[in-house]
Amino acid sequence: MNFKTLDLNLLRVFDAVMAERNLTRAAARLALTQPAVSNALRRFRESVGEELLTRATHGVVPTPFAEKLWPQVRAALDQLRAALDPGEFDPHRDAVSFRLAMADATAAVLLPPLIDHIEAEQALVNLRVIPLTTRDPRALVERGEIDVAVGYFPEAIAELVSQGAESALRHQRLNESEYVCVMRSGHPLAEGELTLDAFCQAHHLLVSFSGRPHGFVDQALASLNRTRRIVLTVNQFFTAGRVVARSDLLTVLPASFVVATGYQSQLVERPLPMPMARIHVEAMWHMRHDSVSAHQWLRERLVDASRPRPGVTIPASPHPDS
């Protein structure tokens, strides 16, 4: 590839298509026609000498080469934007789209106050929320597929802390919670102290994005040489709340999420009969966004939206394998 003759506008098109995974949406984002986007992609493909995308049912799928190239292109474009337009972000004037990744429980409680902030400021901001189905969002953040991940990522955060300034990722604690045992009102175990024997003998529901039939609770039980029977594994906290409210299954949820299930009046919380670590909700983003004023504005609003309100705190999810 001859960089001297490369049309840098092609990088903007490539970035938009990689972000949207759809030519029509990318064209709308760039205020171009779809044929113009297709033509730009063809020219970029010819310039780099590698295939970039393959067609899919609902859009396009990047090739491994494109996936490897995109973070570098995105970082370069962000640096150019910051250098050429260093002015402060004006939410009333600047239309910006952000991609957030979080679990359903987190979104249910975090988004209403976040939208309240955006509406109150009459900000020209669009949010695209992507379901977070992994325990470790670092790859998503590094590749630029999302702007901010919000949730409980203990292993990832521990590694970032150990790496210190060497890491390209940044994080900020938003809130914290604890796990509790949840059951329907009127459950035989709803009254009195929940003992370890009773907990282990009961039937359980596990929330697991990975589909694995074990989680943190099972690790805690294993340390005590105990086990439990998991009858049902689901991948949504809302589903867990509904099923538990209508059955004799027990589940373990962040205490801050129970109110967000919509079934709080039908559920009973009990302290777990074994020690469990507290859950810390973190925001994670890439350092390339550190000095971008629009991203700084978003992170400030996330902090505001995460502040405790009467009866509500941010659910410490994901990391649902509990």
Side-chain angles (χ1 to χ4, degrees), residues 179-194 199 240-255 257-259 261-272:
Y179 282 123
V180 294
C181 181
V182 179
M183 64 194 76
R184 68 172 176 83
S185 179
H187 191 285
L189 300 178
E191 299 293 334
E193 179 185 0
L194 178 62
F199 181 84
R242 182 164 187 168
V243 171
V244 169
R246 302 184 180 188
S247 72
D248 277 343
L249 298 184
L250 306 185
T251 194
V252 176
L253 301 176
F257 171 61
V258 178
V259 66
T261 65
Y263 292 91
Q264 186 181 25
S265 64
Q266 302 175 43
L267 298 174
V268 173
E269 302 172 38
R270 286 287 177 269
L272 288 169

Side-chain angles (χ1 to χ4, degrees), residues 196-208:
L196 182 61
D197 285 341
F199 181 84
C200 293
Q201 291 168 6
H203 289 180
H204 292 256
L205 176 152
L206 168 68
V207 183
S208 172

Side-chain angles (χ1 to χ4, degrees), residues 10-164:
L10 302 182
L11 299 180
R12 293 181 59 246
V13 173
F14 173 68
D15 176 61
V17 172
M18 289 294 291
E20 299 293 343
R21 300 294 201 266
N22 183 283
L23 298 189
T24 301
R25 290 198 299 267
R29 177 172 174 173
L30 295 165
L32 297 173
T33 65
Q34 184 172 328
V37 170
S38 297
N39 181 57
L41 285 174
R42 176 186 58 77
R43 292 168 55 203
F44 189 51
R45 182 184 70 245
E46 293 171 352
S47 296
V48 299
E50 296 280 352
E51 290 296 328
L52 300 170
L53 305 162
T54 58
R55 293 280 183 177
T57 304
H58 300 293
V60 293
V61 176
T63 63
F65 175 82
E67 291 280 15
K68 183 178 179 181
L69 179 63
W70 186 32
Q72 302 173 57
V73 170
R74 169 59 67 90
L77 288 174
D78 285 340
Q79 291 173 5
L80 279 173
R81 291 188 190 101
L84 297 174
D85 185 18
E88 286 299 309
F89 169 67
D90 183 347
H92 305 288
R93 178 198 65 202
D94 303 326
V96 180
S97 295
F98 297 109
R99 291 154 302 161
L100 309 175
M102 61 186 76
D104 63 322
T106 308
V109 176
L110 180 63
L111 291 182
L114 185 57
I115 292 299
D116 285 345
H117 285 301
I118 291 174
E119 294 290 286
E121 294 187 48
Q122 297 183 333
L124 298 177
V125 168
N126 301 313
L127 302 180
R128 180 180 171 193
V129 179
I130 300 169
L132 193 53
T133 57
T134 175
R135 292 184 175 196
D136 187 347
R138 284 178 293 178
L140 298 174
V141 178
E142 289 169 347
R143 292 197 299 263
E145 294 182 25
I146 57 175
D147 295 306
V148 182
V150 180
Y152 179 45
F153 321 118
E155 290 90 352
I157 296 300
E159 289 190 28
L160 294 184
V161 170
S162 68
Q163 292 169 3

